[in-house]
Amino acid sequence: MDNRNVLVVGGTGCGKSVLCNVLTGTDEFKEGNYTVSETQNIQIRSFDWKKIKYSVADTVGIGNINLTTKEVLSSIIEKINSMSEGISQVLLVTDGRFLKEEIEIYDFLKEIFKGGFVTIVRTKFASFQNKDECEKDIKAMLDVNKKIAKIVKSCKVIHVDNPPIDIKAYENNSDDDEDVVTINRINGKSRNKSREKLLSHLEQVCQDDKLKMGKKFSFSKIVKIIKKN
């Protein structure tokens, strides 16, 4: 069975862990409803799809209040180096705002990953099934500034929407129960459609010649990468 390793990166609170749950079809990645990162350590889960084994690695978000940028990037490097078979695709998760932390991640990634290995996953996009709306959103990102335009042009972009499926009714208010069940069911369908779209995308873009880092990065090297960009 062919093995494909997928690395998921992004800023704190951008929806990385939710994306990992959707992609793997599990609830093993801790999802947070707040801007504080729920992912404190790198997690990996595997699943089979169309006779291919995918291993999905969720990383600590840049902007984590408990870790410096250097420490987060260092943990990502450590995980890349530990995947002896190499990386088939990197998913850079953003909600479309492209925060400073997400730009830092991109600047870091472009130094070690050649073209074709990075996909921008635009999360929280309700019209993700509408091709015209997705194209309009890409154009809007291109128009923000030259830096972000350069990032978007250098990567493939895929839109998804992964709303929560664990919404709870107000305490002791049974009148809300039916509405909450309906909302969770609708959100679950959206997540399933997102998963189908993600898997179809990975089937097309995952590299046969998996990328291996091949070189070690020190803290000082990480700082230089960020500063020069």
Side-chain angles (χ1 to χ4, degrees), residues 68-80:
T68 65
T69 298
K70 290 189 298 182
E71 289 171 330
V72 173
L73 294 180
S74 182
S75 71
I76 293 174
I77 290 170
E78 182 179 354
K79 181 47 61 181
I80 294 171

Side-chain angles (χ1 to χ4, degrees), residues 20-135:
C20 290
N21 276 333
V22 169
L23 188 53
T24 59
T26 70
D27 60 358
E28 296 183 22
F29 297 87
K30 189 173 181 180
E31 301 180 16
N33 297 317
Y34 310 101
T35 56
V36 176
S37 176
E38 291 287 353
T39 306
Q40 301 299 321
N41 297 291
I42 291 177
Q43 297 175 265
I44 300 179
R45 294 293 180 273
S46 299
F47 68 96
D48 298 337
W49 188 73
K50 289 189 176 181
K51 298 181 179 180
I52 295 175
K53 180 181 179 181
Y54 288 90
S55 294
V56 178
D58 185 18
T59 58
V60 181
I62 295 287
N64 186 304
I65 61 174
N66 297 315
L67 298 171
T68 65
T69 298
K70 290 189 298 182
E71 289 171 330
V72 173
L73 294 180
S74 182
S75 71
I76 293 174
I77 290 170
E78 182 179 354
K79 181 47 61 181
I80 294 171
N81 282 330
S82 72
M83 292 176 148
S84 58
E85 293 181 341
I87 303 294
S88 299
Q89 190 71 188
V90 179
L91 303 182
L92 174 56
V93 183
T94 177
D95 61 9
R97 293 176 294 171
F98 276 98
L99 303 176
K100 173 178 174 289
E101 292 83 7
E102 290 158 357
I103 294 173
E104 287 178 345
I105 293 174
Y106 171 80
D107 288 336
F108 165 71
L109 291 173
K110 76 177 183 180
E111 294 291 329
I112 57 175
F113 290 96
K114 61 184 180 181
F117 276 94
V118 181
T119 293
I120 294 172
V121 181
R122 165 67 158 97
T123 61
K124 304 175 185 178
F125 193 74
S127 299
F128 72 98
Q129 297 186 78
N130 186 310
K131 184 177 179 180
D132 289 340
E133 290 301 313
C134 292
E135 289 178 353

Side-chain angles (χ1 to χ4, degrees), residues 11 32 207:
Q207 306 289 316

Side-chain angles (χ1 to χ4, degrees), residues 96 98 122 125 133-145 148-149 152 159:
F98 276 98
R122 165 67 158 97
F125 193 74
E133 290 301 313
C134 292
E135 289 178 353
K136 286 179 183 178
D137 184 65
I138 291 174
K139 185 179 184 304
M141 288 189 282
L142 291 171
D143 290 339
V144 174
N145 59 51
I148 292 176
V152 174
H159 292 72

